[in-house]
Amino acid sequence: MRLFTALQPPGEVLDEVEQAIAPHVGRVPGLRWPDRATWHITLAFFGEVPEGALPDLETRLARAVRRHDVLDVAFTGFGGFSSAGRARVFWAGLSGDPMNRLVDSLRAAGRRAGAAHTDEKRFHPHLTLGRAKTEVDLRPLVESLSGFSGSVWRAEAVHLVRSHLGAQVRYESLAKWALSPVRRD
Ligand code: 2AM
């Protein structure tokens, strides 16, 4: 099964992003806009994982997530991969608490559980909002959204998600683990 870990931002901050992009949806040649119900922030991508490896993967991920604190982050700025000028992916970026240590732990858990594909690329936290089959120039779109700054939100849990590929990709949350709550005095 095809698996990855992800954050699920709260509806209120997704509303802000949705409102910001609304005037552009369907109006950028070549760009497809996945349904809002599929929006998520990928942390570690594992690719195909044998079903038998799932219990071990879940145990290791649960342990990894517990060791990290909740994260305070905000959507700030939009861009394209691999660049705004030659993009196949249109995204909203995140600022605030860095997620790299959490992602490194999740990737390590995946490797130890025998996940076929644990991404070793540098991690860029992002919410994918659009996809193109061939490279498109998103500089005008990115420029027109440059004033956007979203509210701060707290990422409190990590989801293990299964992708069901098909004409319409579907994501199924298989498990959810809480990040360690920050102690408040
Ligand atoms: P994306 O957010 O940049 O599109 C499910 O497919 C999720 O895993 C997607 O959100 C996608 O990231 C991410 N993903 C898919 N293939 C990947 C790969 N080869 N390496 C890293 N992440 C991948």
Side-chain angles (χ1 to χ4, degrees):
M1 54 182 89
R2 188 179 163 95
L3 299 177
F4 62 99
T5 47
L7 299 176
Q8 192 55 61
E12 306 86 78
V13 292
L14 294 184
D15 288 345
E16 295 175 357
V17 172
E18 189 172 33
Q19 276 159 29
I21 64 171
H24 307 283
V25 172
R27 301 215 170 117
V28 181
L31 201 60
R32 290 173 297 117
W33 302 78
D35 208 62
R36 169 175 162 157
T38 68
W39 289 0
H40 59 268
I41 298 164
T42 301
L43 294 172
F45 178 77
F46 300 131
E48 280 299 320
V49 175
E51 204 151 336
L54 187 59
D56 185 36
L57 177 64
E58 291 196 349
T59 304
R60 290 177 186 279
L61 289 174
R63 204 182 300 148
V65 173
R66 261 203 313 273
R67 287 202 306 265
H68 294 271
D69 294 339
V70 291
L71 302 159
D72 288 328
V73 292
F75 288 111
T76 34
F78 296 82
F81 286 149
S82 54
S83 70
R86 303 180 64 174
R88 283 174 189 259
V89 172
F90 171 56
W91 47 259
L94 282 154
S95 62
D97 290 337
M99 300 178 185
N100 301 61
R101 283 185 50 253
L102 170 61
V103 169
D104 286 347
S105 294
L106 299 173
R107 287 176 174 180
R111 269 196 308 275
R112 291 188 188 119
H117 173 122
T118 299
D119 201 14
E120 299 301 334
K121 283 188 301 226
R122 203 166 147 242
F123 175 69
H124 295 277
H126 66 278
L127 177 74
T128 295
L129 298 168
R131 293 178 198 279
K133 284 218 165 69
T134 56
E135 288 173 347
V136 290
D137 183 0
L138 297 180
R139 285 172 299 186
L141 174 64
V142 168
E143 177 58 30
S144 71
L145 291 166
S146 61
F148 177 82
S149 169
S151 304
V152 174
W153 55 280
R154 178 162 285 188
E156 293 180 306
V158 172
H159 291 256
L160 176 63
V161 188
R162 178 175 184 182
S163 295
H164 296 272
L165 299 180
Q168 197 100 45
V169 69
R170 187 169 62 80
Y171 299 123
E172 177 191 6
S173 179
L174 299 182
K176 177 185 174 185
W177 301 284
L179 288 157
S180 179
V182 171
R183 196 159 54 83
R184 288 151 171 272
D185 297 316

